[in-house]
Amino acid sequence: MATNITRFIENVEDASNIISYVDMKQRQSGVFSFILPLRTKQYDLRNNIKTILNSDIKSDLSDIIVEEDALSLNVFREDYIKQFLESNCHKIVPQKLVNNSKNIIVEFSSPNIAKPFHLGHLRSTIIGNYVANINSYLGNNVKRINYLGDWGTQYGFIQIGIDMSNLDSTKMQNDAIRNLYNAYVLANKSMENDSTIADKAREIFRQLETGESIACQEWELFRKLNCWPSENGEGGWDVNIEYELEQDDLELNDVNINIPLPIGCTPIVSSCDGQYTHETRKNILVWSLPLVDASTKSGSMEFSAPSSTSADFFPLHVSFASKTSYAKIKITEVILVEDESPVKHSIETVFFTDNYEVV
């Protein structure tokens, strides 16, 4: 960027000393400005504004601002670093250190998904990525994998632990991750005194793989514990909310998900599928989706809420309307009781929520 600024200045007539007038200031965090006076005793650039704005120097800058007596050439630090690396990485040609390329498999952290992630997973992932990048640079064929070890049996242990703990859906929504983990630990400890638990865990997974209804329903219940508050370390919480339509033939209209907030809390929404509204009088954040169907069957919203606790975001209230029946019940005909003669009729199907809460 500095080279382009210098090149431009050198091409301006009678402006050999202009570079000495450039002053760099940091206007705000991550934004740097090169301030150039438009007129001094040595030069006058006021007639060169169009040339400046049309020059290739703009490719290196976030914006150019023409002020009353100066030119501000602004650059965002992160954008410039990204642009610089992307524009130069193709010029790097690795030395030929291996005669024949090899097939390399790099396995990363291979987490047990029934347990929380920890620093060891991050460490091995960083090392694995480092090794993979080096081998790619040398011309080897690299495959990166993250093996989810024995996940089926682990799910079986979780299900057994939940049954042993008498956890229902309401209890699990309250600190779901901790409850699922505690259920897993309970089943593992119990296996020390009951050798049949491992066989039961494998049987539960077999039922899930073969699509047996009860096992699949229980799996869906765990998978859809989908409001995840997490402490952000700044006295507040980051919240991720997701939805997924289970029946592709349903069409839900005017879906509203009302998320309660602490009094006086102003949420900061970082991403949202659909629209959102902060209703300050009701202390709620309304996530609105005009249509949820097979083409929009999943979505999410993320926001942070200062000065809050995890319990502040429950219960969620959900409302929608649909012209599709959930139970797929249809009226085929209407007849009189007396003589079973047909009766002219019309059918209107309306499916809506009376009281739908996620607690």
Side-chain angles (χ1 to χ4, degrees):
M1 180 180 61
T3 302
N4 276 1
I5 294 175
T6 303
R7 185 173 68 250
F8 166 75
I9 292 174
E10 289 175 347
N11 289 335
V12 177
E13 185 177 357
D14 298 328
S16 58
N17 294 323
I18 291 181
I19 190 67
S20 62
Y21 288 91
V22 176
D23 183 26
M24 189 183 75
K25 295 182 179 179
Q26 185 175 2
R27 292 195 167 184
Q28 62 188 64
S29 178
V31 180
F32 294 90
S33 295
F34 293 85
I35 310 299
L36 178 65
L38 291 176
R39 183 183 180 185
T40 68
K41 293 181 179 180
Q42 299 292 330
Y43 64 83
D44 187 347
L45 294 179
R46 290 176 296 177
N47 295 327
N48 296 82
I49 296 300
K50 290 184 177 180
T51 304
I52 295 173
L53 296 178
N54 293 329
S55 67
D56 61 357
I57 191 177
K58 293 180 66 178
S59 63
D60 286 328
L61 301 171
S62 300
D63 60 62
I64 300 177
I65 301 175
V66 180
E67 300 173 336
E68 292 184 359
D69 57 353
L71 193 66
S72 178
L73 311 174
N74 301 318
V75 61
F76 293 101
R77 180 178 179 274
E78 292 185 1
D79 291 346
Y80 181 72
I81 292 175
K82 180 176 182 292
Q83 180 189 17
F84 177 82
L85 293 176
E86 290 178 345
S87 62
N88 287 277
C89 66
H90 67 280
K91 301 176 184 178
I92 301 175
V93 179
Q95 294 179 340
K96 190 68 175 178
L97 300 180
V98 292
N99 294 326
N100 298 312
S101 62
K102 299 179 180 179
N103 295 321
I104 306 293
I105 297 178
V106 179
E107 184 179 346
F108 292 156
S109 56
S110 298
N112 178 344
I113 63 170
K115 296 181 179 180
F117 287 178
H118 53 74
L119 190 60
H121 293 113
L122 178 62
R123 175 180 177 272
S124 60
T125 298
I126 293 174
I127 294 174
N129 192 55
Y130 177 78
V131 172
N133 287 341
I134 289 178
N135 278 277
S136 295
Y137 179 84
L138 295 177
N140 290 321
N141 300 318
V142 179
K143 295 293 183 182
R144 297 168 167 87
I145 65 172
N146 218 4
Y147 173 68
L148 304 181
D150 199 21
W151 70 272
T153 305
Q154 307 300 340
Y155 165 72
F157 284 128
I158 292 176
Q159 177 60 61
I160 292 172
I162 287 173
D163 294 340
M164 296 173 66
S165 305
N166 295 320
L167 285 174
D168 57 22
S169 60
T170 300
K171 292 179 181 178
M172 279 197 295
Q173 284 283 8
N174 184 17
D175 202 355
I177 294 295
R178 184 179 299 276
N179 283 327
L180 292 174
Y181 175 64
N182 289 340
Y184 173 79
V185 172
L186 175 61
N188 266 274
K189 288 184 177 180
S190 301
M191 186 174 60
E192 297 175 1
N193 300 319
D194 186 352
S195 59
T196 65
I197 287 182
D199 294 331
K200 292 177 181 178
R202 284 188 284 270
E203 173 60 19
I204 290 173
F205 179 54
R206 184 199 65 77
Q207 294 174 3
L208 182 62
E209 282 191 313
T210 56
E212 296 185 25
S213 60
I214 294 179
C216 290
Q217 289 172 8
E218 291 168 341
W219 167 250
E220 287 295 325
L221 173 63
F222 307 148
R223 191 167 64 88
K224 293 187 178 303
L225 298 176
N226 53 8
C227 180
W228 306 110
S230 58
E231 199 166 4
N232 59 23
E234 300 176 357
W237 289 71
D238 296 330
V239 182
N240 174 271
I241 301 179
E242 301 174 352
Y243 77 84
E244 182 174 355
L245 184 68
E246 295 182 358
Q247 296 187 19
D248 290 347
D249 59 325
L250 281 178
E251 291 186 2
L252 308 182
N253 302 104
D254 300 324
V255 179
N256 286 309
I257 303 172
N258 296 346
I259 308 139
L261 298 171
I263 297 175
C265 174
T266 301
I268 302 171
V269 179
S270 56
S271 66
C272 177
D273 294 319
Q275 300 176 335
Y276 68 90
T277 305
H278 178 209
E279 297 189 4
T280 55
R281 292 185 178 181
K282 297 181 179 180
N283 293 312
I284 60 173
L285 181 63
V286 181
W287 181 15
S288 301
L289 300 150
L291 176 65
V292 175
D293 60 8
S295 63
T296 56
K297 64 182 301 180
S298 62
S300 64
M301 180 172 69
E302 296 182 6
F303 68 91
S304 59
S307 303
S308 58
T309 66
S310 60
D312 290 330
F313 311 109
F314 296 96
L316 278 68
H317 293 268
V318 183
S319 63
F320 59 81
S322 177
K323 294 183 179 181
T324 307
S325 171
Y326 179 79
K328 299 180 177 62
I329 297 175
K330 295 182 179 180
I331 298 174
T332 58
E333 62 177 342
V334 179
I335 60 175
L336 290 174
V337 176
E338 292 81 2
D339 57 3
E340 297 186 353
S341 60
V343 177
K344 291 184 178 180
H345 64 280
S346 62
I347 298 175
E348 182 180 1
T349 302
V350 179
F351 169 38
F352 63 92
T353 58
D354 182 22
N355 183 28
Y356 181 5
E357 292 185 346
V358 179
V359 296

